[in-house]
């Protein structure tokens, strides 16, 4: 790491941490119910505000929402980074390649075909949201296996994207068929889940949600050296002693788990996994994963919190996250497409 690169990494990290803290405070202060800052602070310090409703809003709604947004934003962003490196394609992402749709199909089977509900997001009982989580992981895994097989046959990045889009259409078609035979309760739960939100993970569900994501992010961090080797090409990575087949399988497994757990609990959140890695690369001007990975996590957390703040601050009720992320993501993707030849991401 050069001195210039190290200085840039430090500055970007400090700015992102500051933004993260500011947005966390803002998400605590703003919402559908106005609560004074001193009341929120006293509740967080364990003091009784004298108003049970306010205690519930702060501790059981806003705090879990903030933690969910941070974890989900980091998870989806790292998923996008891993896919872009694995397939050497700057336009790869969980939503574009159909991974999120595959996870959504798994959730749809639990909620629609089997008559389950997500009671907010992932079930009122441990069995309920564990079944949803496992179904989402299985759905994402099926899509990733299809992409792996297709990537080994066709080397074109464009064809891989087309394959991902086709898989998404196929999964969406199956979901539509399930909608036609679902119960009214299951259909309502699925429609609400499909809007995307960070407000449905309760304190009881948070331990499983957080543990799975944190362990998967740690596993991603342990893959930094193989990821950097893949940037140099498969043959060069093999010459460096990297088992590329096993590495790709591990990367896709991590991606599948991260995408599936967020999709199961928060809905099919679009654009974060595709856009955030590009923001991190542009900020650092490097593809070195030892710096890119942590900055991608922080950028994802900051972006998710910003979307959450916009979502809950509307005077007309909560705005679905998926109505906000395209506004941020589409201009960035257009810029990437237009300037793709000028930007060397994989170096």
């Amino acid at each position: 790491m050069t001195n210039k690169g190290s200085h840039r990494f430090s500055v970007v990290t400090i700015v992102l941490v500051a933004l993260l803290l500011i947005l966390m405070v803002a998400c605590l202060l703003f919402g559908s119910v106005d609560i004074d800052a001193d009341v929120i602070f006293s509740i967080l310090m364990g003091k009784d505000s004298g108003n049970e409703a306010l205690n519930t809003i702060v501790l059981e709604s806003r705090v879990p929402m903030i933690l969910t947004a941070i974890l989900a934003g980091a998870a989806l962003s790292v998923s996008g980074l891993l896919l872009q490196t694995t397939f050497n394609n700057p336009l790869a992402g969980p939503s574009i390649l159909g991974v999120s749709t595959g996870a959504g199909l798994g959730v749809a089977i639990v909620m629609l075909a089997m008559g389950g509900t997500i009671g907010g997001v992932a079930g009122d009982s441990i069995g309920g949201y564990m079944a949803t989580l496992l179904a989402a992981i299985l759905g994402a895994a099926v899509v990733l296996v299809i992409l792996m097989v297709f990537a080994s046959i066709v080397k074109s990045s464009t064809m891989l994207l087309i394959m991902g889009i086709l898989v998404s259409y196929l999964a969406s078609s199956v979901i539509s068929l399930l909608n036609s035979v679902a119960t009214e309760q299951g259909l309502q739960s699925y429609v609400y889940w499909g809007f995307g939100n960070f407000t449905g993970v309760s304190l009881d569900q948070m331990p499983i949600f957080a543990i799975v994501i944190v362990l998967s992010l740690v596993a991603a961090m342990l893959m930094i050296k193989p990821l950097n080797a893949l940037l140099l090409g498969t043959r060069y990575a093999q010459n460096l002693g990297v088992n590329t087949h096993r590495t790709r399988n591990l990367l896709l497994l991590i991606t599948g788990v991260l995408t599936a757990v967020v999709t199961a609990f928060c809905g099919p959140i679009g654009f974060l996994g595709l856009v955030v890695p590009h923001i991190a690369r542009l900020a650092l001007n490097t593809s070195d994963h030892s710096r890119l990975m942590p900055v991608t996590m922080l950028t994802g957390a900051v972006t998710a919190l910003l979307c959450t703040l916009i979502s809950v601050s509307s005077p007309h009720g909560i705005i679905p996250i998926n109505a906000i992320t395209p506004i941020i993501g589409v201009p960035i993707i257009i810029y990437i497409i237009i300037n793709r030849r000028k930007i060397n991401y994989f170096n």
Side-chain angles (χ1 to χ4, degrees):
M1 185 183 295
T2 64
N3 290 333
K4 183 178 180 180
S6 178
H7 175 71
R8 187 164 186 163
F9 172 72
S10 299
V11 171
V12 170
T13 302
I14 291 171
V15 170
L16 287 172
V17 170
L19 288 173
L20 185 69
L21 294 175
I22 292 171
L23 288 169
M24 288 174 66
V25 173
C27 287
L28 281 172
L29 294 175
F30 299 103
S32 57
V33 177
D34 293 329
I35 307 176
D36 293 336
D38 56 340
V39 174
I40 292 177
F41 181 77
S42 65
I43 293 174
L44 293 176
M45 292 296 101
K47 299 178 182 178
D48 189 359
S49 67
N51 188 322
E52 189 62 31
L54 295 183
N55 293 338
T56 301
I57 291 172
V58 173
L59 296 178
E60 297 185 20
S61 178
R62 294 186 182 180
V63 170
M65 176 188 70
I66 291 170
L67 294 176
T68 301
I70 291 173
L71 291 169
L76 291 175
S77 301
V78 169
S79 295
L81 176 62
L82 297 184
L83 287 175
Q84 289 166 14
T85 302
T86 300
F87 293 111
N88 194 28
N89 190 327
L91 295 180
S95 56
I96 298 297
L97 289 178
V99 182
S100 296
T101 309
L105 176 58
V107 174
I109 291 173
V110 172
M111 297 179 66
L112 300 177
M114 300 176 65
T117 63
I118 295 192
V121 172
D124 294 323
S125 65
I126 292 179
Y129 61 78
M130 281 302 295
T132 305
L133 177 58
L134 292 176
I137 292 175
L138 182 59
V142 170
V143 173
L144 286 169
V145 169
I146 293 173
L147 292 176
M148 285 174 58
V149 172
F150 195 77
S152 65
I153 298 172
V154 179
K155 304 301 180 182
S156 171
S157 297
T158 302
M159 293 303 296
L160 183 63
L161 289 176
I162 293 174
M163 184 62 181
I165 293 171
L166 292 176
V167 171
S168 293
Y169 277 125
L170 181 60
S172 298
S173 177
V174 176
I175 291 172
S176 297
L177 292 174
L178 292 174
N179 281 331
S180 66
V181 298
T183 63
E184 183 178 352
Q185 182 182 12
L187 186 58
Q188 288 178 346
S189 296
Y190 185 79
V191 169
Y192 175 76
W193 169 86
F195 287 150
N197 70 90
F198 298 129
T199 61
V201 181
S202 67
L203 286 177
D204 292 335
Q205 298 165 351
M206 184 59 67
I208 290 181
F209 181 74
I211 288 171
V212 174
I213 287 181
V214 170
L215 289 179
S216 299
L217 290 176
V218 170
M221 291 292 292
L222 295 176
M223 300 296 290
I224 285 176
K225 288 185 178 180
L227 283 166
N228 283 337
L230 287 177
L231 293 177
L232 303 173
T234 301
R235 185 172 299 178
Y236 195 91
Q238 291 173 342
N239 291 337
L240 292 176
V242 176
N243 186 329
T244 55
H245 180 71
R246 185 178 65 182
T247 297
R248 290 180 190 274
N249 287 342
L250 286 174
L251 291 173
L252 292 175
L253 174 63
I254 295 169
T255 298
V257 173
L258 286 172
T259 303
V261 68
V262 174
T263 302
F265 283 84
C266 304
I269 308 297
F271 281 98
L272 284 182
L274 174 62
V275 171
V276 170
H278 293 301
I279 298 175
R281 287 191 190 95
L282 291 172
L284 293 174
N285 193 30
T286 184
S287 288
D288 180 2
H289 288 79
S290 63
R291 286 172 279 174
L292 186 58
M293 184 82 72
V295 168
T296 297
M297 291 182 190
L298 284 172
T299 306
V302 167
T303 306
L305 276 178
L306 176 61
C307 293
T308 301
L309 181 61
I310 297 172
S311 173
V312 300
S313 298
S314 171
H316 304 292
I318 295 178
I319 301 174
I321 295 295
N322 281 329
I324 301 170
T325 52
I327 298 174
I328 298 173
V330 169
I332 295 176
I333 294 305
I334 292 174
Y335 174 83
I336 296 302
I337 293 173
I338 294 175
N339 296 277
R340 185 175 179 183
R341 292 185 178 181
K342 300 178 182 178
I343 305 173
N344 186 10
Y345 284 115
F346 305 105
N347 55 54

